Amino acid sequence: MVRDDVAAGTVDTVVTRFPPEPNGHLHIGHAKSICLNFGVAEEFGGRCHMRFDDTNPAKEDVEYIESIKNDVRWLGYDWGEHIYFASDNFEQLYDWAIHLINGGLAYVDDQSADEIRARRGTLTEPGEDSPWRDRPVAENLDLFARMRAGEFKQGARVLRARIDMASGNINMRDPVLYLIVHEPHPRTGDNWHIYPTYDFAHGQSDAIEGVTHSLCTLEFADHRPLYDWLIEHLPVPSRPRQYEFSRLNLSHTVLSKRRLIELVEGGHVEGWDDPRMPTLSGLRRRGYSPAAIRDFAARIGVTKSDNVVEMALLEHCVREPANRTAERRMAVLRPLKVVIENYPQAESEQIEAINNPEDDGAGTRMIPFSRELYIEREDFMEDPPRKFFRLAPGREARLRYGYFITCREAVKNDAGEVIELRCTYDPETRGGHAPDGRKVKATLHWVSANHCVTGEVRLYNALFSEAEPSMGDDFLDGLNPESLERLENCRLEPLLADAAPGVVVQFERQGYFCADPTSTPERPVFNRTVALRDSWAKIQARGKSGG
Ligand code: ATP
Ligand code: MG
């Protein structure tokens, strides 16, 4: 549509806008809108405005304004000097309301919100005219000015457009343009006692800014006739047009600011930036990159029909670049002690390890090896089933970049749990190869007990158990009780003590992780960004095989 407008010459410079209401933090659904609006502007050499739709002072806060600006910049977009606030237009909007009153196209209604609703009619029945619909212009002007001055109680009166109470579109049945609200506004302070509704503020702000394509989500399609009516009946400086696209729904989470606020306020997550949250701050803390999110937005595209996108696709967009760029490290999440009986007591050595097999430029690093090590508890079984090829009594396995070791004995505590493995190593296998060519089936990750650092690793799973959680008042029942698994006694190779927050590394055989902002060299804390297993690839494969 934009291309056609440009080709036909009806639009010269393409101008879009991203219009958040500063009443919450941005989530991945907003990212879709940001990528679309800024992306379209970029593609056609136009510009995208940052517009705060700040017409509801009761719910808005400057804290949100700063966080939203930060998130949009983080995603990689720049509005330059084009930052606007609907509240900057309050005076102009007020003048235009008077313009409508003078033209007999708006009136002050003394009915309560309930009365207005009761008379609005239904989809099959027309509404009823308000008893105040034919108020003389002079009386409307007087009352509206007094509404502005704060003479009336909140909710006592409203200003309505005078359109058509029998319209098939309920939005055209004399919609409310102004409400009396006695709340200070974060930007205009106590100047106003009336505030324009979204419908009255949005399109006119578009026109003031010279927006050409006002891209919004499908629920506004029914508002488009009103959008157009207002633009046609007001002396606005330009002619914007509204187009709708489907909002992003993502499986296993909720994308509604209201619901997200409930999760935070109810203590169900640790804050807006909890790595399980679909907020941009949460995804950032989890290690998702702006490029991965932009790639996701490009892959889901823009449609006109509602659907639910698999969380696995978003994870796929994160994992794919991580595999190419993340340096590998060794981290033992559930440690089991290994003592190598034939390795000298007081000795240790440095072993060379490859940082990233996908990237030669990433080089190598040295990791310490010594007599006492940790391996992953699940890499040993006392009584292994047929397909378990890792360590077991009498069995040999490779320690990655290190040596072959053979398990001689499993030491148990009084409760009968294995607490230590006594092993021997073959000094000829340094680097992980046997000169006699003998093979082992398993390669294990490990760390040196006296050199490693102990830290916490947080494994995140879906926030909601069901793919499409109930959005009703029972929505908390759908929370996944296993959305966070905290492992507090993990053993990490020494380099991980100094990992920079947000930089994703691969823990070999475990997944992709990044240091949490609260991580310290003494007590590193890592968040699992995404697991190694690609469930999206599986979903795709299933689709292809027709299953
Ligand atoms: P929520 O439903 O989370 O409260 P909202 O629509 O009230 O969201 P706004 O701040 O008004 O939040 O949204 C700013 C812009 O982002 C709007 O243009 C809105 O249509 C768009 N947007 C919000 N949620 C989504 C979503 N899930 N997918 C795509 N666009 C979205
Ligand atoms: Mg909104």
Side-chain angles (χ1 to χ4, degrees):
M1 292 182 302
V2 178
R3 190 173 297 120
D4 289 349
D5 289 343
V6 171
T10 46
V11 167
D12 184 20
T13 303
V14 171
V15 182
T16 57
R17 86 285 169 269
F18 172 62
E21 186 181 351
N23 62 353
H25 296 274
L26 298 183
H27 54 61
I28 182 84
H30 294 113
K32 172 176 179 175
S33 175
I34 295 166
C35 292
L36 174 63
N37 280 295
F38 280 91
V40 162
E42 224 167 67
E43 185 177 339
F44 293 95
R47 60 176 197 266
C48 180
H49 295 179
M50 181 73 181
R51 154 114 51 83
F52 285 96
D53 234 335
D54 55 347
T55 56
N56 183 1
K59 291 199 176 152
E60 295 163 5
D61 202 294
V62 280
E63 171 206 330
Y64 295 131
I65 294 179
E66 289 315 308
S67 137
I68 290 170
K69 281 163 42 178
N70 186 40
D71 283 347
V72 174
R73 279 198 209 100
W74 176 72
L75 264 187
Y77 297 107
D78 182 7
W79 52 87
E81 69 213 31
H82 297 285
I83 178 165
Y84 303 99
F85 292 83
S87 57
D88 290 343
N89 302 325
F90 281 172
E91 201 64 51
Q92 175 68 82
L93 291 170
Y94 181 80
D95 288 347
W96 281 340
I98 289 179
H99 180 90
L100 291 178
I101 293 173
N102 280 325
L105 295 174
Y107 61 96
V108 172
D109 193 339
D110 298 358
Q111 297 181 101
S112 69
D114 286 342
E115 287 168 323
I116 290 176
R117 201 174 308 117
R119 291 190 153 164
R120 201 173 42 189
T122 64
L123 287 174
T124 50
E125 287 163 52
E128 262 175 76
D129 284 1
S130 160
W132 310 103
R133 197 168 196 263
D134 295 318
R135 225 167 201 160
V137 167
E139 195 177 314
N140 281 319
L141 289 174
D142 173 61
L143 286 171
F144 190 50
R146 289 162 62 195
M147 280 167 65
R148 173 180 185 166
E151 273 188 41
F152 309 119
K153 281 208 315 270
Q154 188 151 315
R157 293 187 161 86
V158 294
L159 184 76
R160 297 176 75 176
R162 196 167 180 279
I163 307 180
D164 179 7
M165 288 305 292
S167 170
N169 183 334
I170 293 181
N171 292 300
M172 298 298 273
R173 293 182 189 169
D174 293 9
V176 173
L177 305 180
Y178 269 92
L179 299 157
I180 298 175
V181 180
H182 296 293
E183 291 269 356
H185 185 283
R187 289 177 56 86
T188 60
D190 293 321
N191 290 355
W192 293 88
H193 297 279
I194 53 173
Y195 291 94
T197 55
Y198 168 87
D199 284 320
F200 194 57
H202 197 82
Q204 282 53 256
S205 297
D206 286 342
I208 290 169
E209 292 175 27
V211 166
T212 56
H213 297 80
S214 185
L215 312 177
C216 64
T217 37
L218 283 178
E219 67 270 24
F220 293 102
D222 288 345
H223 294 241
R224 179 150 34 99
L226 176 56
Y227 183 103
D228 289 340
W229 187 91
L230 288 166
I231 293 291
E232 277 155 24
H233 289 88
L234 291 170
V236 291
S238 78
R239 177 50 170 112
R241 291 197 187 266
Q242 173 182 307
Y243 302 90
E244 305 88 22
F245 64 95
S246 65
R247 60 196 295 120
L248 170 66
N249 300 304
L250 193 58
S251 76
H252 300 96
T253 192
V254 293
L255 295 182
S256 142
K257 277 185 277 189
R258 190 163 68 89
R259 291 307 188 199
L260 295 175
I261 285 173
E262 281 180 64
L263 291 178
V264 173
E265 290 184 346
H268 305 286
V269 292
E270 280 154 29
W272 281 101
D273 66 345
D274 185 303
R276 289 167 292 180
M277 291 281 273
T279 51
L280 296 183
S281 48
L283 299 176
R284 173 164 63 236
R285 184 161 172 191
R286 185 152 172 180
Y288 283 28
S289 71
I293 295 172
R294 290 194 306 263
D295 177 39
F296 171 72
R299 290 191 200 214
I300 59 176
V302 184
T303 67
K304 278 271 189 190
S305 58
D306 274 316
N307 59 356
V308 179
V309 175
E310 290 282 346
M311 181 65 89
L313 173 61
L314 177 58
E315 292 179 348
H316 177 80
C317 293
V318 172
R319 185 185 298 106
E320 216 179 45
N323 180 45
R324 275 179 274 118
T325 59
E327 294 206 349
R328 274 53 169 173
R329 296 288 183 263
M330 295 213 268
V332 176
L333 303 190
R334 298 170 184 87
L336 174 62
K337 182 79 148 293
V338 166
V339 178
I340 301 177
E341 293 180 321
N342 59 339
Y343 194 91
Q345 279 288 359
E347 260 178 48
S348 69
E349 62 190 294
Q350 295 290 327
I351 286 186
E352 188 171 30
I354 292 168
N355 281 331
N356 185 354
E358 303 283 323
D359 176 8
D360 293 339
T364 62
R365 68 190 185 285
M366 303 309 282
I367 41 180
F369 185 95
S370 66
R371 179 180 160 90
E372 297 196 359
L373 311 167
Y374 289 107
I375 64 165
E376 208 67 56
R377 188 161 279 282
E378 66 180 27
D379 282 339
F380 170 80
M381 279 186 97
E382 200 177 11
D383 199 5
R386 222 162 52 83
K387 287 200 166 163
F388 186 88
F389 299 117
R390 294 169 258 171
L391 221 48
R395 187 168 304 158
E396 189 169 48
R398 175 190 293 111
L399 295 179
R400 189 139 168 87
Y401 304 119
Y403 297 93
F404 287 8
I405 59 169
T406 303
C407 176
R408 302 295 170 189
E409 187 199 344
V411 182
K412 295 182 183 173
N413 62 12
D414 292 344
E417 298 156 347
V418 175
I419 52 165
E420 185 179 299
L421 301 181
R422 310 295 295 189
C423 299
T424 54
Y425 84 121
D426 177 356
E428 300 299 314
T429 57
R430 193 174 198 278
H433 306 283
D436 64 3
R438 77 180 186 279
K439 298 270 187 271
V440 287
K441 280 199 167 156
T443 300
L444 314 181
H445 61 277
W446 54 275
V447 296
S448 166
N450 288 326
H451 301 89
C452 67
V453 37
T454 303
E456 179 175 330
V457 173
R458 298 169 183 168
L459 304 181
Y460 298 107
N461 296 303
L463 189 50
F464 286 84
S465 308
E466 304 282 324
E468 293 182 49
S470 153
M471 288 289 282
D473 285 334
D474 61 345
F475 90 109
L476 291 174
D477 297 346
L479 280 172
N480 175 8
E482 274 142 36
S483 61
L484 167 61
E485 189 180 354
R486 233 177 235 278
L487 302 172
E488 307 202 9
N489 186 30
C490 305
R491 305 302 167 109
L492 315 169
E493 71 165 85
L495 261 187
L496 286 172
D498 300 310
V503 177
V504 173
V505 292
Q506 186 194 95
F507 289 177
E508 297 230 15
R509 301 173 65 223
Q510 304 279 8
Y512 297 94
F513 293 79
C514 70
D516 191 73
T518 61
S519 188
T520 62
E522 295 72 37
R523 179 73 186 165
V525 177
F526 280 86
N527 298 321
R528 182 166 71 192
T529 307
V530 65
L532 277 184
R533 197 171 51 99
D534 190 339
S535 47
W536 177 248
K538 276 200 189 142
I539 292 168
Q540 296 287 69
R542 233 183 284 142
K544 282 202 191 93
S545 66

